[in-house]
């Protein structure tokens, strides 16, 4: 039986409102971090090519090209990290080693050999800085009177004339993966961790500062 005049203690709801509001803020912050990290992990992908994937060539094209869904990242116009190779049925390479990057597309030239199954091996640097590589097959049916190229046993390098009239080779490179990829991912993960830790600390501080319930008062 409760003594007359006594008042039951009731926790003040203001602190709980603050905690609930903080929880909502944490959810929003987490969603924002994930929303920002999403585009960073969206790599370029192939949308068109010449020759087509699994297609058949009956005439040597002026250039071989691939087109992706987004602009390629060619820092300084050096072509570093890009490669476009044409491998014949004999395992030899038929491209000239040079690549031309413009917007979302990369092109190269090649002199094919005998008819048969060929493979396009390509590597690009996505708009997000990640290196992406893949390959696809196509069939070459040489026209009548076509003079087959001999190919090269090793991937050719692109020769460019220097100021002295000599030649300098620039390797196109084929290493899969990228150290920039890991650094970029770590950056986003670290940012998300900082936001979540700050939110947890804010909740704990609010709980510690929660007003204590008033004690029961009994009339004499």
């Amino acid at each position: 039986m409760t003594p007359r005049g006594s008042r039951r203690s009731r926790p003040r709801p203001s602190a709980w409102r603050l905690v609930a509001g903080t929880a909502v803020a944490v959810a929003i912050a987490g969603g924002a971090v994930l929303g920002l990290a999403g585009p960073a992990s969206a790599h370029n992908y192939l949308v068109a090519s010449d020759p087509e994937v699994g297609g058949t060539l009956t005439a040597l094209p002026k250039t071989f090209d691939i087109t992706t869904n987004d602009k390629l990242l060619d820092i300084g116009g050096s072509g570093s990290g890009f490669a476009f190779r044409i491998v014949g049925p004999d395992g030899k390479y038929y491209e000239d080693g040079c690549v031309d990057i413009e917007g979302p597309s990369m092109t190269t030239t090649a002199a094919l050999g005998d008819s048969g199954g060929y493979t396009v091996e390509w590597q690009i640097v996505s708009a997000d800085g990640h290196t992406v590589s893949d390959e696809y097959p196509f069939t070459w049916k040489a026209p009548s009177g076509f003079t087959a190229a001999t190919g090269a046993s090793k991937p050719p390098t692109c020769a460019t004339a220097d100021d002295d009239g000599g030649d300098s080779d620039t390797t196109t490179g084929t290493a899969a993966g990228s150290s920039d990829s890991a650094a970029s991912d770590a950056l986003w993960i670290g940012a998300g961790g900082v936001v979540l830790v700050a939110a947890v600390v804010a909740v704990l501080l609010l709980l510690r500062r929660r007003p204590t319930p008033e004690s029961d008062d009994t009339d004499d």
Side-chain angles (χ1 to χ4, degrees):
M1 180 175 179
T2 304
R4 183 175 59 84
S6 65
R7 292 179 299 175
R8 293 182 179 178
S9 60
R10 295 181 181 178
R12 295 183 180 179
S14 58
W16 293 108
R17 292 196 194 99
L18 290 175
V19 172
T22 303
V24 173
V26 171
I28 294 174
V33 171
L34 293 176
L36 289 173
S41 61
H43 308 330
N44 288 39
Y45 55 85
L46 185 69
V47 296
S49 64
D50 186 15
E52 297 179 351
V53 176
T56 299
L57 280 181
T58 56
L60 188 65
K62 183 178 180 180
T63 61
F64 289 72
D65 65 83
I66 63 171
T67 300
T68 68
N69 64 306
D70 200 355
K71 184 177 181 179
L72 300 174
L73 184 61
D74 183 19
I75 299 176
S78 64
S80 178
F82 291 82
F84 202 153
R85 294 177 175 174
I86 315 296
V87 185
D90 52 4
K92 292 184 177 181
Y93 298 87
Y94 288 88
E95 77 284 354
D96 64 3
C98 298
V99 294
D100 184 21
I101 299 106
E102 183 175 355
S105 301
M106 175 176 65
T107 62
T108 191
T109 59
L112 301 182
D114 295 326
S115 299
Y118 283 71
T119 300
V120 171
E121 298 177 346
W122 56 269
Q123 177 175 289
I124 60 170
V125 181
S126 292
D128 62 0
H130 290 70
T131 300
V132 178
S133 60
D134 203 352
E135 62 181 45
Y136 68 85
F138 72 93
T139 301
W140 165 237
K141 291 185 177 180
S144 177
F146 175 77
T147 301
T150 56
S153 58
K154 295 182 179 180
T157 55
C158 186
T160 57
D162 57 25
D163 295 338
D164 297 329
D167 290 338
S168 61
D169 293 341
T170 302
T171 304
T172 54
T174 56
S178 172
S179 58
D180 291 340
S181 171
S184 177
D185 291 343
L187 177 62
W188 289 110
I189 293 172
V194 169
V195 171
L196 292 178
V197 169
V200 170
V201 171
V203 172
L204 293 176
L205 289 175
L206 286 172
L207 290 175
R208 287 175 60 88
R209 295 177 59 185
R210 175 190 168 198
T212 56
E214 295 181 359
S215 59
D216 291 347
D217 296 333
T218 305
D219 295 340
D220 292 338

